Structures are given as C-alpha cells and as structure tokens.
Amino acid sequence: MTSTRPAAPGVLDPAGRTAALRRMRTEVMDIVVIGGGVTGAGVALDAATRGLSVALVEARDLAAGTSSRSSKLIHGGLRYLEQLNAPLVREALRERSLMLDTLAPHLVHAIPFLLPLTRHGWERAYLGSGVLLYDTLGQGLARIGPGGDGTVPHHRHLTRKAALRAFPSLRPDALVGAIQYWDGQVDDARHTMFVARTAARYGAAVATSARVVGLLREGERVAGVQVRDLESGEEIELRARETINAAGVWTDDIQAMVGGRGRLSVRASKGVHIVVPRDRVHGETGLILRTERSVLFVIPWGGQWIIGTTDTDWNLDLAHPAASSADIDYLLTTVNRVLRTPLTTEDITGVYAGLRPLLAGESQDTSALSREHAVVSPAPGLTMVAGGKYTTYRVMAADAVDAAVRGLNRTVPASCTEKIPLLGADGYPALWNARELLARRSGLHVGWIEHLLHRYGTLAEEVLELAASRAELDRPLPGAPTYLAAEAVYAVTHEGALHLEDVLTRRTRISIETRDRGVEAARAVADLIAPVLGWAPADRDREVEHYLARVAAERASQQEADDATADATRLGAPDVRHLGHPAERRAPAPTPTAAPSAPAASSASSASSASSAPG
C-alpha cells in the first residue's frame, strides 16, 4: 500500500501526491494552474515564490506533451533575427544566460554549432553580422571578447579546412567555410520536472494524472476547477481565487469550458526529430543547416545525434502526434545533402513528434506564426497564457501570474524567480569539482558520477545513497546500460513518475536512446518500481503490456505515408491513463516480445497539457 505521510519538501512521490490531492479537496487556493508542461510548472514556481498558495494539476505526466519533445535547446533563435525580431531574441538570450549561470547550471550546458557557408564573399559578411549581433544581444557589447561572458564563448569564423576538421562527416563540396557559435542544451523533460519539484519545495501542491473536466463558477466568475483523479476515478472540486490555464495546444478546450472560443487562437505545428547513433556521424560540434522554409539542427546528444525538425500544420489527435514516413524521409533527405556517408532508416534509433502551440494569425504557414506569447483573461478569475518558446518559459510564467494576481485584491510581491535556482543547482560547481572524490567514495567510475551530476546536480548524492542501499541498484539497467537501476527507483520515489512509461520516456530517455526503444528494459524497470508504487503482479504486467503496445504502434505509424494514416495507426495503442478518449478503449496493438526490426520508432510520449513550444 502507498504511504500517506507528507512528502519532504521538493519530493514528488506517491505519498506527496496523496497529500497534494487532500489539500486540493480541503483548501481554497490562491492559484490553480492547469497544465504540467514547462510553462505551467513555471507558473506554479512563480506563484509559490511570491508567497501564494498554489495547486498544479496535470492530466498525464509532467512534460508529457510538448515540453518533452523539443529540440532540447535553450537558445535565442538565429532565424528570428533574420525576421527582425530582436526583442524576442534578446529576451530569450537573457533567459539562456540565467539558466546557464544561476537557475539550472546542472541541466543546461553550452554546446557549439557550425553554420556552414555555401557561397564566397557576401554570405560570410551577411551571416557573420547576424551571429555577431546574436552574441552582442546575449553577452552585451561591453563583454564581447575572446572569452565571452563566462556562459558561452564568442563565435569564430572557420575556413573550409578548419570546418572539416571540426566535422569530418561533412561533404567538402557542401561548404566553402563556416561560422562556429555557441548555444545552450537541456534535457527538456528533466528540466520541466525540476521546475515542478522546485515549485513543490516552495509549497505548491502538485498532482499528475489529474485531469480538469470542468470549471467551477460563482456567477460569471471562474472559482476553480473540477478535477478527475485518473488513478482512482474520484472527482475533486478544487476551489481557487484565480485559475491560470497553461494547457498549450489544448487552450481551445479550456476556452470552450467558459462558453466560447475565447480570446486566444492557437494552432498546432508538428515538429518531428530523429535520433541516430553518434558513430554514424563524425563531428565535434552540432550543425545548423538553412533550409527552404526554416533551419535543420544536427545536435550532439550523449551517445546519439538528434536531427530535426519539421514544421507542418497538425489538426489531428493532440495527445499523440504521429511521425509519418514522409516526415522521416524529409529529415534524412535534408541532412544527407551535406553528409559524406548518407544516413538511412536503418540508422535510426528513435523518433519523436511534438506540437508547438503557435499563436494563430493571418498566415497559413505555421513557420510564419508568432513564437511570442500572449496572456489574456476571457472571464473573471481565469487567465490564459499561450504561445512562446521553451527558453522563455520563466517570462511567460511571470506575465501570467502578474495578470492573475490583479484579481486577488491584495498586494502580491513581484516575481523573484530569476534569483531562485532550481533544486540541484545550489553548490553544483563545487560538487562537479569533487566528482573524482565522489567516484572513490561510491566505488563507481567517474563517468557514472558525471552522468549523475548532469542529470541531478547536487541531488546526485541522493541517487548515490539509494544505489548504495541495495546491491542491485548500483548496476546498469538491462537493455539500457547508460542508466543505473537506482535512477529508475528514484524516478518514482522523488520525481513523480507514476507509470512505467513515465520512467522510460521522460525521467530517462531510454525510449529513444536504445535501438529496441526500451523493450528489453521495460520488464526490469517495472520489477524495480512495482513495490514502490504498490503494484500487484497483474498491475506490473499491464504496465509492461501498455508500453510494448505503444512502441509497436509508434513503429507502425512511422511506416505510414501521410499524417491521417499515421495518426490512426498510432491511436491503435491505448493510453495507460484512463482518459476516456475513444481510441484508448481499443484493444492494445500486438506487442513485440523482442526488439523488432522496423527501421524507425518514436519516443513520443502520451501527451499532457503541454505548455510551451519546442525551442
């Protein structure tokens, strides 16, 4: 049975969820937040650190939608400079600096990119001036120099020979030179989870598998939300003085609950990424390739490369956007134009698809829609925030809370989140410097310590303590040798994972980093977490069955030629959470008993009320 004791501050565990739901039944909150993507988690943190009582409810898992399916970059966006949107770039680069320096240095790291040049003369001057402005906006004119400002180095110009040394897999005839610049990288799902954990540390009640099914009203005023606990089926009336909707691509669904379309119009744009092993492409830096419509990134990601993204309109199932064979072919064709040795579908280890919640305008082209955000109040007591970029989640959150607290009729402090490090950040540089000492004390190789520090920061010591408590926990997971068994258990005891899928797709990235998409690891992980979650053997078997069915459905959908058939095929697998979608009442798709041989697969997770766009 699951304990009902209160969780320690900042710990998301089954007991903490029970306590959070109890608070939601009995307290009138200052703020209730709908959506557990990065913006919703950011709103909860912003409100909690202003001294407000806060509840966060999420239909699926933290970051289960858009906020786990981005390009994993914290950046200003070079292409927005070309669109003359310097204010957006400046804002995003300021956030990048904050995350690298103060808020999340354990989760956000600077990485280099090559911008290949294909024409002599004017192109180097044109693009070089743009990158110089990018550095200037990010670092400040007074700080421009060889060492940058300490967060990212200054850009540099390379000859073709130097560029090929940095990226040997480039075709020599694909460039005449290059510019190298730096940006930030993040594991988006883990970062979102840490934002939510930090919100809980400052008093927010956080509950996943908690779906909003209606709004509570007092006359014309929204007075909270009706929530269904998807684990028990119980419904809760969660009363709040102000409600903030951060549901991303589900914005229209919440607006419909107030009796109309509302004041925001959000269009979903599908972005697909593929993942290939690091040894298939030889390079010491990422790539950014200019395409006819946008850009394509080739991003180093541990032992893999992430290649993406697409940008196409999507009006099908929002929970499970499907990648088609056309999406995958586009990515392969585009990147192969510059590679010496072309990639094929046989090289792909993972595929994931996410939806950007773009503010709709006059344009019919999703790549032209706004990446800026908007905050509106369609009814008294209800604030909505939509649009934006992952990188600017903190600004979006502060703006949303600023708008909501006007209805509280009392003085509320200004946002202070630019000074609030996420859990795991405080003392991180010192612990990183002591990593060899930690390795000697733990008996683990220093490579394991570095892996843990990048994923947990100073909380890595908690994972090491857990690993030392049982002999089987300090060993690599079967089928996923880059993760310790202790990490799977910690995902449940501290990080809010409630289902096997949560662990394999978001707390870890096993579903895109292993060629079998986590099929071999699934049973071992289920065995480890079952006692913590109180699963009977039948519960454990059902969790494994659901995960294998999802993998099979995603593989099959990626063989389909168009969005409609890919979407229908992906919906053949039921959701492990009982959300009431017709597709989720179907029988599971056939499940593999060993790693299938299909060429492409996905890490796209069951979507949640995602709250921010990739990038």
Side-chain angles (χ1 to χ4, degrees), residues 348-539:
I348 296 173
T349 59
V351 180
Y352 62 94
L355 300 177
R356 305 174 187 89
L358 303 180
L359 294 179
E362 296 300 320
S363 175
Q364 295 303 306
D365 183 353
T366 60
S367 66
L369 297 182
S370 175
R371 298 304 299 275
E372 297 183 75
H373 67 276
V375 177
V376 301
S377 181
L382 176 64
T383 298
M384 294 195 170
V385 56
K389 291 160 47 67
Y390 190 104
T391 302
T392 58
Y393 81 93
R394 195 193 62 81
V395 177
M396 296 170 65
D399 287 350
V401 177
D402 282 345
V405 297
R406 297 188 190 113
L408 292 182
N409 297 318
R410 70 176 193 263
T411 301
V412 175
S415 175
C416 64
T417 51
E418 67 176 14
K419 302 174 183 177
I420 305 296
L422 300 186
L423 292 180
D426 192 24
Y428 171 72
L431 202 60
W432 176 261
N433 292 341
R435 60 193 183 279
E436 293 185 359
L437 177 60
L438 281 176
R440 289 194 295 271
R441 288 176 177 172
S442 66
L444 294 171
H445 188 276
V446 69
W448 278 113
I449 302 302
E450 292 176 351
H451 160 85
L452 294 175
L453 287 171
H454 281 316
R455 285 171 47 76
Y456 303 91
T458 56
L459 301 188
E461 293 180 303
E462 296 179 349
V463 183
L464 290 171
E465 290 176 6
L466 182 60
S469 68
R470 287 160 45 193
E472 68 271 23
L473 296 185
D474 68 353
R475 301 168 186 165
L477 282 169
T482 59
Y483 293 94
L484 289 176
E487 296 182 74
V489 176
Y490 188 85
V492 172
T493 59
H494 289 71
E495 296 181 341
L498 296 178
H499 293 278
L500 176 62
E501 178 185 285
D502 302 345
V503 178
L504 294 176
T505 63
R506 288 174 289 278
R507 303 308 182 276
T508 70
R509 292 300 192 165
I510 290 171
S511 64
I512 58 171
E513 293 175 347
T514 61
R515 187 163 289 278
D516 71 350
R517 325 309 186 246
V519 168
E520 181 182 350
R523 174 62 64 175
V525 171
D527 288 342
L528 286 167
I529 65 178
V532 184
L533 292 170
W535 290 348
D539 300 320

Side-chain angles (χ1 to χ4, degrees), residues 60-352:
R60 291 176 172 82
D61 183 29
L62 296 169
T66 303
S67 294
S68 63
R69 309 183 195 186
S70 75
S71 296
K72 325 299 183 199
L73 296 178
I74 299 297
H75 66 145
L78 270 175
R79 68 188 179 109
Y80 302 123
L81 278 183
E82 198 165 21
Q83 297 170 1
L84 304 179
N85 197 343
L88 174 62
V89 176
R90 183 187 298 111
E91 180 179 78
L93 290 177
R94 180 176 184 272
E95 294 304 307
R96 183 190 71 178
S97 181
L98 278 171
M99 284 188 262
L100 284 165
D101 280 347
T102 304
L103 304 184
H106 54 314
L107 302 172
V108 182
H109 312 282
I111 60 170
F113 283 93
L114 278 187
L115 178 58
L117 304 173
T118 59
R119 296 176 180 86
H120 290 285
W122 69 268
E123 188 181 34
R124 185 180 290 276
Y126 174 70
L127 294 179
S129 64
V131 177
L132 175 61
L133 178 58
Y134 193 69
D135 277 351
T136 302
L137 292 172
Q139 301 172 340
L141 281 169
R143 290 181 162 187
I144 287 293
D149 68 348
T151 58
V152 295
H154 189 47
H155 76 276
R156 61 186 184 131
H157 286 258
L158 302 179
T159 64
R160 176 166 62 181
K161 186 176 181 180
L164 291 174
R165 281 198 302 268
F167 210 102
S169 281
L170 278 174
R171 284 172 39 199
D173 62 350
L175 73 167
V176 298
I179 301 172
Q180 186 177 57
Y181 74 101
W182 293 69
D183 248 323
Q185 183 176 62
V186 68
D187 184 328
D188 47 8
R190 291 198 59 75
H191 174 264
T192 297
M193 178 272 298
F194 266 99
V195 176
R197 281 193 64 179
T198 308
R201 159 66 180 82
Y202 290 101
V206 177
T208 58
S209 287
R211 183 184 187 186
V212 171
V213 294
L215 300 178
L216 303 179
R217 307 295 287 266
E218 292 178 354
E220 293 298 313
R221 184 175 185 82
V222 174
V225 292
Q226 187 82 15
V227 177
R228 180 175 300 140
D229 178 357
L230 300 180
E231 302 300 316
S232 69
E234 178 189 4
E235 293 208 358
I236 298 169
E237 288 193 351
L238 199 176
R239 298 201 167 271
R241 297 174 179 90
E242 293 289 330
T243 298
I244 299 179
N245 172 39
V249 293
W250 282 268
T251 294
D252 285 349
D253 291 351
I254 303 300
Q255 288 186 146
M257 294 180 184
V258 292
R261 182 178 173 83
R263 295 170 56 190
L264 286 178
S265 180
V266 174
R267 280 175 59 184
S269 168
K270 184 177 68 166
V272 174
H273 296 77
I274 59 175
V275 183
V276 301
R278 194 68 178 267
D279 61 7
R280 287 295 292 115
V281 179
H282 302 294
E284 300 172 357
T285 177
L287 287 179
I288 176 172
L289 305 174
R290 291 161 60 86
T291 68
E292 294 82 0
R293 296 182 57 190
S294 184
V295 296
L296 187 82
F297 287 103
V298 181
I299 307 164
W301 178 259
Q304 291 80 28
W305 296 94
I306 293 174
I307 301 172
T309 178
T310 63
D311 191 352
T312 55
D313 204 15
W314 179 265
N315 54 16
L316 299 168
D317 185 78
L318 298 178
H320 306 289
S324 68
S325 62
D327 295 321
I328 295 167
D329 289 345
Y330 165 78
L331 295 174
L332 289 174
T333 299
T334 304
V335 75
N336 283 339
R337 291 172 185 162
V338 302
L339 296 181
R340 291 176 187 259
T341 304
L343 297 170
T344 71
T345 54
E346 296 295 331
D347 296 313
I348 296 173
T349 59
V351 180
Y352 62 94

